Amino acid sequence: MSFPYAMRLHKHGLLPLLRRPWLRSQNHRAQCVLQFSTIVSSEPSRVTIPVGASGSITLDIHTPSHRSPSTPILIYLPAGPLLPERAPELNSLRVESPLTVVRINYRLDSTHPYPLPIHDVLAGYDWVVHHLVRGVGAHNGWQSPDGRMAGGNGRGVGNGRVAGVAVCGELIGGGLAAMLACTEGRVGRMGHVKAVVVGGPVVDWTGMFPVKEGSGEGEGKEGAGPVADGNTDGDKGAGGRAAEGVGATKRRTTKVKTRTKPDSWREHSNSPFLSASTLLHARDTLFAKPEHYHDPFASPLLFFHTASSDIPSLEPPSSPSPHNPSSPSSPANTTPDASATDPTTLIDFIRKRRAHRRHPPLGSGLVLPRTRVDVGRESVLRDQGVEFVEGMRRSLGVSEKGRMLGRGDVWAEQGRGRGGEGLEERIELREVEGVGLWGEEEMVGVGGWVGRVMRAGE
């Protein structure tokens, strides 16, 4: 299945239904290579799994000392190449709760651009569900190198309960975790995602625009602001009334500058931690085509509203022939100017008015999981996290209101009536000082939150 075809399927709400058999059929036909270990240690066991015809990836599996078939599984997705030096200690996730932590080492760089990391993460998730949750050909999720069964029957047999799956990640890994939250919550399907925690997630690549120098806090935009009618009671003497007409019309139609609260993208665009220019360069490097970052699987915020910009064209503008100025091309102009192929000069970003979308779609069987989004107040990505929470809460309120009224096409106002009860608890937003990245203490808290949510859902 080609990526453009997958995008078309998603636009019609069919991709979540058709994608899974395609990926699973390729993933499970091949033999997985597992470094089998029966002794729990600080060193993880490593699994190598195929990703269709796109090579393979590795999974690092950290197990608790006392693991049962119902021990929750937490999938960890690394932050990605934005901060390659970050290597958090995953054992911190297991301090407060016994969890099986699986790190999916997805590929993402200039030679492995999107949509490859999406396919990698989905293949890793499928492997976790197939082997660690269902226990197919395995005992408690483990399989020996020769593939012989050590026990189990593939139905989660043990104490009658099976492991639940949660996902966490930061930055680009947070965006991929958000993608799983929006697409893998199919209730009734063994191994569906029950809880998600993301930190400073990149959930909307379409909303990133070049920031002009000098644009910052307190800067407004010029437009047809409120009517600037200078006629007050004190002005309307004889001279004031005589000035009505042309002069008064000019005052009413004069464009004024309105001061608006700056968004995090402009306010923190020059952050030494993660700047707007760094993210724009990453987008040019990590996406082969602009339409790839307009796909909701790469920008999960698009599940809940339309894109902030149209898909730009990277075709260099045609220039007239020196022999015939009206001719768009000629043999003399077959080599385009180097600047014309630079994406930063070709892409003209124009902000669009966005419209809300409802997700999950009717009849999909998907349900949004318990979600926690951590954002830093001084992060350039803060607003993306806030908008993602608002979109999830809005959709959750719509779904609950529709079920309550016996229909699925009713938009419920957020936080009002029974349709809004519990939204802030089920879709949590945590704002912290600074840029909001997870240190060891925050990782311990993430693991503890996942453990509590998974136990409460048993």
Side-chain angles (χ1 to χ4, degrees):
M1 178 184 295
S2 65
F3 186 73
Y5 179 58
M7 290 179 63
R8 289 196 296 272
L9 288 176
H10 171 71
K11 289 180 180 178
H12 295 287
L14 300 176
L15 186 56
L17 303 178
L18 299 183
R19 174 179 57 75
R20 310 309 305 159
W22 160 72
L23 187 59
R24 188 177 299 114
S25 62
Q26 298 187 53
N27 183 29
H28 290 165
R29 277 200 296 263
Q31 175 67 35
C32 298
V33 180
L34 172 64
Q35 298 176 1
F36 179 74
S37 174
T38 57
I39 302 176
V40 175
S41 66
S42 59
E43 293 297 322
S45 297
R46 173 156 288 190
V47 182
T48 301
I49 66 171
V51 184
S54 304
S56 61
I57 60 171
T58 60
L59 312 180
D60 295 329
I61 305 175
H62 303 252
T63 57
S65 54
H66 301 288
R67 184 178 186 275
S68 70
S70 60
T71 299
I73 299 169
L74 176 58
I75 295 175
Y76 172 79
L77 302 175
L82 293 178
L83 296 175
E85 68 278 3
R86 282 187 61 79
E89 176 55 57
L90 297 189
N91 283 328
S92 301
L93 294 169
R94 301 187 291 153
V95 170
E96 294 188 359
S97 301
L99 301 170
T100 296
V101 178
V102 181
R103 171 181 169 136
I104 299 180
N105 299 307
Y106 62 88
R107 297 163 290 176
L108 182 58
D109 52 41
S110 58
T111 59
H112 299 93
Y114 276 88
L116 189 60
I118 298 173
H119 299 162
D120 288 351
V121 169
L122 292 172
Y125 169 77
D126 269 355
W127 190 93
V128 168
V129 172
H130 193 72
H131 292 279
L132 300 188
V133 177
R134 295 178 177 175
V136 175
H139 175 62
N140 288 349
W142 299 112
Q143 181 177 352
S144 61
D146 59 6
R148 292 180 300 176
M149 290 184 62
N153 61 3
R155 298 179 182 175
V157 174
N159 56 3
R161 294 152 55 193
V162 297
V165 177
V167 188
C168 70
E170 297 178 274
L171 298 177
I172 292 178
L176 293 168
M179 176 268 294
L180 289 179
C182 295
T183 62
E184 302 302 332
R186 198 179 305 280
V187 175
R189 176 179 179 267
M190 190 179 297
H192 71 273
V193 175
K194 294 183 177 180
V196 174
V197 190
V198 294
V202 183
V203 291
D204 186 11
W205 292 96
T206 72
M208 300 179 182
F209 298 83
V211 179
K212 296 180 181 178
E213 280 195 45
S215 64
E217 187 172 0
E219 183 189 1
K221 58 182 179 180
E222 195 172 76
V227 175
D229 189 350
N231 292 333
T232 61
D233 291 338
D235 295 325
K236 290 187 177 181
R241 293 183 184 276
E244 288 186 357
V246 177
T249 302
K250 286 184 179 180
R251 283 195 298 271
R252 281 194 294 269
T253 59
T254 299
K255 292 182 179 180
V256 297
K257 284 190 175 182
T258 58
R259 294 198 172 271
T260 58
K261 182 179 178 181
D263 55 33
S264 65
W265 181 254
R266 290 183 298 158
E267 186 176 7
H268 305 295
S269 62
N270 296 319
S271 169
F273 155 70
L274 185 62
S275 65
S277 60
T278 299
L279 284 163
L280 288 169
H281 176 71
R283 184 176 66 182
D284 292 339
T285 303
L286 303 178
F287 290 88
K289 298 179 181 179
E291 54 262 35
H292 289 176
Y293 60 77
H294 279 73
D295 174 48
F297 280 76
S299 298
L301 188 55
L302 302 189
F303 282 113
F304 304 105
H305 66 59
T306 55
S308 301
S309 62
D310 288 323
I311 298 177
S313 172
L314 295 183
E315 296 180 2
S318 59
S319 56
S321 166
H323 306 289
N324 181 9
S326 63
S327 174
S329 62
S330 71
N333 286 322
T334 55
T335 303
D337 182 20
S339 63
T341 58
D342 182 2
T344 61
T345 62
L346 289 174
I347 299 177
D348 183 19
F349 291 102
I350 301 176
R351 288 183 181 270
K352 294 175 54 181
R353 184 182 297 274
R354 298 174 301 183
H356 294 316
R357 286 172 170 168
R358 181 172 56 190
H359 183 81
L362 293 176
S364 66
L366 296 174
V367 174
L368 298 177
R370 279 287 302 271
T371 302
R372 185 182 115 185
V373 178
D374 298 348
V375 296
R377 293 189 177 93
E378 299 175 14
S379 171
V380 70
L381 296 170
R382 174 193 173 275
D383 288 355
Q384 290 196 16
V386 173
E387 290 181 14
F388 187 71
V389 167
E390 292 173 349
M392 293 188 80
R393 287 176 178 172
R394 185 186 308 110
S395 289
L396 188 61
V398 169
S399 299
E400 292 189 350
K401 187 73 172 180
R403 283 195 293 269
M404 184 181 70
L405 298 178
R407 53 187 297 189
D409 57 351
V410 179
W411 283 90
E413 293 185 29
Q414 179 178 327
R416 179 176 297 183
R418 288 186 57 189
E421 290 179 0
L423 293 183
E424 292 186 359
E425 178 184 0
R426 294 172 65 178
I427 310 295
E428 298 182 36
L429 174 65
R430 295 194 179 187
E431 294 192 61
V432 298
E433 298 299 329
V435 296
L437 277 187
W438 294 339
E440 183 176 353
E441 182 179 351
E442 288 76 18
M443 294 283 280
V444 172
V446 168
W449 184 89
V450 169
R452 291 190 294 274
V453 170
M454 302 299 272
R455 287 193 297 269
E458 290 180 350

